Amino acid sequence: GIQVEQSPPDLILQEGANSTLRCNFSDSVNNLQWFHQNPWGQLINLFYIPSGTKQNGRLSATTVATERYSLLYISSSQTTDSGVYFCAVEYGEKLTFGTGTRLTIIP
Amino acid sequence: KAGVTQTPRYLIKTRGQQVTLSCSPISGHRSVSWYQQTPGQGLQFLFEYFSETQRNKGNFPGRFSGRQFSNSRSEMNVSTLELGDSALYLCASSHLGPSGNTIYFGEGSWLTVV
């Protein structure tokens, strides 16, 4: 099956800092999505981004499908950005999740 | 528009028992999928239903089963519970729209097996 790896696994930043999270996948995929899992366990959809670049406020994402990676940028981090960020790829009609990046924003 | 609703939110079961979890998708969404999340294995796909038919199934034993009703609500059942079944079970609904096949998750059901 497809392998989806995220880096870094853990990231601790001061409030106001910028960060870049990476997602690498081992095969061509139909689509890619980024999610944020809050401390209560709910996964919130951030971006549906099979290719190209999208921006939503302080967050933006870029997927380079030909090179099999995606990046999530978070600017001016806030404590509410803390949590685990997952990328997930649609491969063979199934959604396969990456290993996640745990982001901790310190006030 | 109401989100994906999962019940119960928290439950504790004993080894050997069975459990049924329920999921109500977003109105108009016909695809419902289930995932298991554990610290050791991460998020793993269980199965997906569309219009009452199971379209895909993950690599889980036959103790894990599910179904979807005509109103798109879905249930999953785990029989003969094992300690390793303790996990967060997440349900998601999706709809193919102009922005693609965006998936929305419920808040999950936290299952503890003792």
Side-chain angles (χ1 to χ4, degrees):
Chain A
I2 193 169
Q3 304 300 314
V4 184
E5 304 223 342
Q6 292 184 242
S7 60
D10 291 279
L11 190 57
I12 301 174
L13 296 171
Q14 205 77 32
E15 197 169 24
N18 301 329
S19 57
T20 301
L21 284 56
R22 188 178 179 101
C23 171
N24 292 331
F25 43 98
S26 61
D27 203 346
S28 300
V29 298
N30 297 330
N31 77 60
L32 184 144
Q33 300 185 55
W34 281 96
F35 296 89
H36 174 219
Q37 188 167 38
N38 65 26
W40 298 273
Q42 185 166 17
L43 282 161
I44 307 298
N45 192 304
L46 297 175
F47 293 103
Y48 171 90
I49 185 164
S51 63
T53 297
K54 288 186 179 179
Q55 178 151 10
N56 184 3
R58 296 181 297 104
L59 275 60
S60 64
T62 295
T63 296
V64 184
T66 53
E67 297 187 23
R68 299 179 186 167
Y69 74 89
S70 182
L71 301 173
L72 177 69
Y73 306 96
I74 305 174
S75 64
S76 305
S77 299
Q78 301 175 358
T79 55
T80 51
D81 295 331
S82 294
V84 184
Y85 290 81
F86 290 97
C87 66
V89 300
E90 186 176 326
Y91 181 76
E93 296 185 343
K94 297 180 186 179
L95 205 60
T96 300
F97 281 80
T99 48
T101 292
R102 180 174 298 278
L103 176 65
T104 304
I105 304 299
I106 300 171
Chain B
K1 192 179 206 182
V4 179
T5 304
Q6 291 187 244
T7 56
R9 291 293 322 280
Y10 305 92
L11 65 166
I12 300 173
K13 291 285 188 177
T14 305
R15 269 182 304 176
Q17 286 186 314
Q18 67 94 26
V19 66
T20 299
L21 308 177
S22 179
C23 172
S24 293
I26 292 172
S27 178
H29 288 195
R30 293 163 64 190
S31 172
V32 173
S33 50
W34 290 88
Y35 296 81
Q36 180 198 63
Q37 186 175 23
T38 59
Q41 299 297 319
L43 272 154
Q44 292 186 288
F45 171 78
L46 279 159
F47 23 66
E48 186 219 354
Y49 289 87
F50 183 87
S51 294
E52 302 179 67
T53 301
Q54 187 181 86
R55 284 205 298 196
N56 287 293
K57 191 177 192 306
N59 295 325
F60 279 81
R63 301 185 296 106
F64 292 80
S65 63
R67 58 178 175 169
Q68 186 180 32
F69 302 95
S70 59
N71 61 358
S72 293
R73 189 177 71 86
S74 177
E75 288 181 349
M76 66 161 284
N77 184 78
V78 187
S79 62
T80 320
L81 284 165
E82 301 175 0
L83 295 180
D85 297 333
S86 295
L88 174 63
Y89 290 88
L90 290 160
C91 168
S93 73
S94 62
H95 173 69
L96 187 59
S99 301
N101 192 30
T102 308
I103 187 167
Y104 298 91
F105 282 86
E107 294 182 304
S109 292
W110 292 88
L111 170 66
T112 301
V113 182
V114 297

